[in-house]
Structure formats: C-alpha cells, structure tokens
C-alpha cells in the first residue's frame, strides 16, 4: 500500500473511511450495534471496520450509507484529494 | 444478498458500481488498461470489477476515483436510494 499510516501500516484511506463512519454515526446519535443491525452487518465486524481493522466491500456501501442516513456519495465526502 | 439481480444473482449495488466505473471511464475516453494502470490495479481484475464479476474494497476507492478524474464521492453519485 503506497499510502499508509507509517506507525500502523494501515492504509490511509481505510483510516479515513473508519473516521468518516464514526463521525456520521455519532452525528446520528447511533450506537455501533444500531448501525450494524440497520446495515445487516455483524456488530463486531462493523466495529472493526470503524476502527479500520478491516476494510469493507463496495457491495456493502449502499446499506451502510442508508443505515447512517446518508447517500453513498456523502459517505465518501472529504475522503480523498480534491483534484480540481 | 437481499438486493440482487434475479437473473444473475449479482448484487444490484455491484452492478451499479460497475456501470458507474464504465460510464466514467468512457466519458474520460480511457481504456481499461489505462485506468487499471493509473489506479495501480491489475488490468484483468479492473475489467472484472467493471463487469461486476468482483467487488472491490473501499481501500481502493481513492486510487480508482483519482484514475477516473473524479473524487471518491463522485464515484458513488447515483448509486443508491436518495432518501431525502
């Protein structure tokens, strides 16, 4: 992975995605259990995705976004170089 | 998968993502080879993601978006229920 957090080796984009999930979840006032249930995901797997331990497949994005009350596009806002 | 194309069983969101990649690639006038190279992906793997044979991890999204000249957020526009 070209772009990783040097101390943990976790890909920077996975860290950014985990932080984004956490921010949206706390903004929505939801627990990890509630988001995981709404997204049809196992709670501990959801917690590890949020903690950037695991990545997640694009297949899961619509359900995760819906669980957090945002569109898939909003889920990825602030997540990458704005090249314009 | 709750939400799949009944004939192929491929998750609807994976079909939508593949179509989105293809639309952005052709709009950018790029070949699959060029996008795969720019995204640091194997060409045949990229072709299978575009054809919705494979899903792809969120870790890959920033590089794929950059290769296609869009932001990660734009990559997921039109990809899920607009719940507002």
């Amino acid at each position: 992975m070209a772009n990783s957090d040097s101390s943990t080796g976790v890909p920077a984009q996975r860290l950014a995605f985990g932080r984004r999930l956490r921010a949206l979840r706390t903004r929505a006032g939801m627990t990890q259990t509630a988001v995981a249930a709404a997204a049809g995901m196992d709670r501990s797997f959801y917690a590890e995705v949020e903690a950037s331990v695991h990545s997640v497949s694009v297949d899961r994005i619509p359900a995760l976004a819906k669980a957090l009350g945002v569109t898939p596009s909003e889920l990825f806002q602030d997540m990458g170089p704005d090249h314009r």
Side-chain angles (χ1 to χ4, degrees), chain A:
Chain A
M1 288 286 161
N3 185 354
S4 306
D5 172 299
S6 53
S7 60
T8 61
V10 174
Q13 54 273 34
R14 191 182 300 178
L15 290 168
F17 186 70
R19 280 194 298 261
R20 180 70 175 155
L21 288 181
R22 178 180 296 271
L24 290 169
R25 176 174 65 79
T26 45
R27 188 182 76 176
M30 296 174 76
T31 62
Q32 290 186 334
T33 303
V35 174
M41 288 171 88
D42 174 77
R43 194 204 63 77
S44 55
F45 179 70
Y46 173 80
E48 289 179 343
V49 172
E50 198 176 280
S52 306
V53 171
H54 288 305
S55 183
V56 70
S57 151
V58 164
D59 290 355
R60 300 247 193 200
I61 293 304
L64 255 177
K66 193 172 181 186
L68 290 162
V70 296
T71 63
S73 183
E74 286 167 328
L75 198 54
F76 285 90
Q77 244 139 31
D78 322 324
M79 244 207 77
D82 184 350
H83 52 78
R84 268 159 308 177

